[in-house]
Amino acid sequence: MTAPEGRGIAGRTDTFRILHVSTGNVCRSPITERLTRHALVDRLGDPLSGGLIVESAGTWGHEGAPMEANAEVVLADFGADASGFVGRELLDEHVIRADLVLTATRDHRAQVISMGHSAGLRTFTLKEFTRLVRAIDPATLPDARDEGVVERARALVRAAAALRGWLLAPTAEADEVYDPYGAPITFFRSIGDEINQALDPVVTALTGVRAPH
């Protein structure tokens, strides 16, 4: 059986798609998408030149909706671009094309995996992936300067999947990013900080470049 065109692990080799998933695709996953893009620009200048594409969707996505105003404020705090965002409902095609799916919660992860498409080995909660990435020796990954960011990113996902059964979360809640929908800006900002801290080691591992200081 051949993989669909553009599919993650078994598909095209010139791009690497990261899909962030939450519930409505108006709070957590838009923040995570745009903070990821912002971090990639800091490290690579232009993520597309390295073949990295960052998207998001929601399991109960508000198709066509803008992100929440408080989410935009959080992104502005980090200097990230919130413009042009449009909410999407999670579809099979999004999962099929993704090389790495990072979800806000374990329930979202379970929903993505239940869609099929051999998604289990490339779907993690964001915080789970951060924990696994921290345990991977960067020296065991391809050098992005020699073999490209895409090859390094693919190797990182394989290494994280291999570690998953050995490196469990200290508590069930440790892998959750809670929903700030309807909450005051202070809670949105705490969630933004949480997401940003979880993303930093992930983007460093993906690109092989530390955040500039």
Side-chain angles (χ1 to χ4, degrees):
M1 182 176 177
T2 58
E5 173 68 19
R7 183 181 194 150
I9 299 298
R12 296 174 57 191
T13 58
D14 57 341
T15 60
F16 183 92
R17 286 181 180 269
I18 303 169
L19 176 66
H20 294 296
V21 175
S22 63
T23 303
N25 194 213
V26 292
C27 298
R28 288 168 292 181
S29 50
I31 290 172
T32 316
E33 173 197 310
R34 295 306 175 94
L35 286 180
T36 303
R37 290 185 186 181
H38 184 64
L40 288 171
V41 168
D42 275 352
R43 289 162 170 80
L44 300 178
D46 179 5
L48 292 177
S49 68
L52 298 182
I53 298 168
V54 186
E55 304 172 311
S56 64
T59 55
W60 290 87
H62 298 292
E63 189 73 29
M67 74 173 77
E68 283 289 291
N70 280 348
E72 292 193 8
V73 172
V74 167
L75 290 172
D77 288 345
F78 288 100
D81 183 12
S83 65
F85 181 84
V86 178
R88 302 192 304 177
E89 182 173 355
L90 181 67
L91 302 176
D92 289 284
E93 66 191 65
H94 301 145
V95 177
I96 288 168
R97 296 170 72 191
D99 297 280
L100 172 61
V101 184
L102 296 176
T103 70
T105 70
R106 291 166 297 150
D107 282 348
H108 296 133
R109 182 184 64 195
Q111 286 177 268
V112 171
I113 293 171
S114 73
M115 294 171 72
H117 315 301
S118 306
L121 291 177
R122 51 199 165 93
T123 303
F124 310 79
T125 74
L126 170 62
K127 288 187 173 180
E128 173 191 24
F129 195 66
T130 301
R131 185 175 68 254
L132 297 171
V133 159
R134 287 185 185 279
I136 295 168
D137 181 355
T140 64
L141 299 172
D143 190 323
R145 292 167 297 182
D146 297 331
E147 299 183 53
V149 175
V150 168
E151 285 307 309
R152 181 183 177 93
R154 290 185 188 282
L156 182 69
V157 172
R158 290 193 296 269
L163 271 179
R164 178 150 45 189
W166 300 93
L167 197 63
L168 302 179
T171 65
E173 291 71 31
D175 282 344
E176 306 281 288
V177 175
Y178 291 108
D179 192 356
Y181 185 77
I185 187 60
T186 50
F187 188 64
F188 265 85
R189 283 189 163 122
S190 71
I191 292 297
D193 287 339
E194 209 172 297
I195 290 170
N196 192 59
Q197 288 174 25
L199 279 174
D200 181 66
V202 169
V203 177
T204 297
L206 284 168
T207 61
V209 181
R210 292 190 179 277
H213 294 292

